Amino acid sequence: KKLTFSWVLPYQAPFWKSKPSSYARHLLGHEGKGSLTAVLKQRGIISGCSAGGGGWLEGAFSLLHVAFDLTDGGVHEVEEIGKHLFTYIGLLQKVGAKA
């Protein structure tokens, strides 16, 4: 059982040096203490999380995916997972990138 959120992003090749989508994937997929994944695992609604890029159309767009492996109880908590994910994304936007 998997729940995947996907976004269309501006084409990322021009940003090859700073790699903003790689940075975002790293933060969204992080599993350490206090992370989004750790909180959802602690609640017993996911067993894992991964973030990655997907297909793209050269010069037009790139994709970003965040996928959650759901527990049996997590199947009924899709809205809660989404709220946590989008709250975390809002926090990242507010705090900004750290060098």
Side-chain angles (χ1 to χ4, degrees), residues 2-72:
K2 192 173 281 277
L3 172 64
T4 303
F5 293 85
S6 300
W7 292 269
V8 174
L9 302 176
Y11 185 55
Q12 295 295 297
F15 309 110
W16 66 271
K17 215 171 192 178
S18 61
K19 298 178 177 44
S21 62
S22 293
Y23 186 65
R25 288 192 307 265
H26 172 75
L27 293 174
L28 292 167
H30 179 64
E31 296 193 17
K33 184 178 178 182
S35 68
L36 172 65
T37 301
V39 168
L40 295 174
K41 279 184 172 181
Q42 183 179 29
R43 292 177 179 259
I45 56 179
I46 70 164
S47 59
C49 174
S50 62
W56 51 271
L57 178 60
E58 187 170 345
F61 65 86
S62 298
L63 297 173
L64 171 67
H65 307 286
V66 179
F68 297 98
D69 298 316
L70 304 176
T71 63
D72 289 338

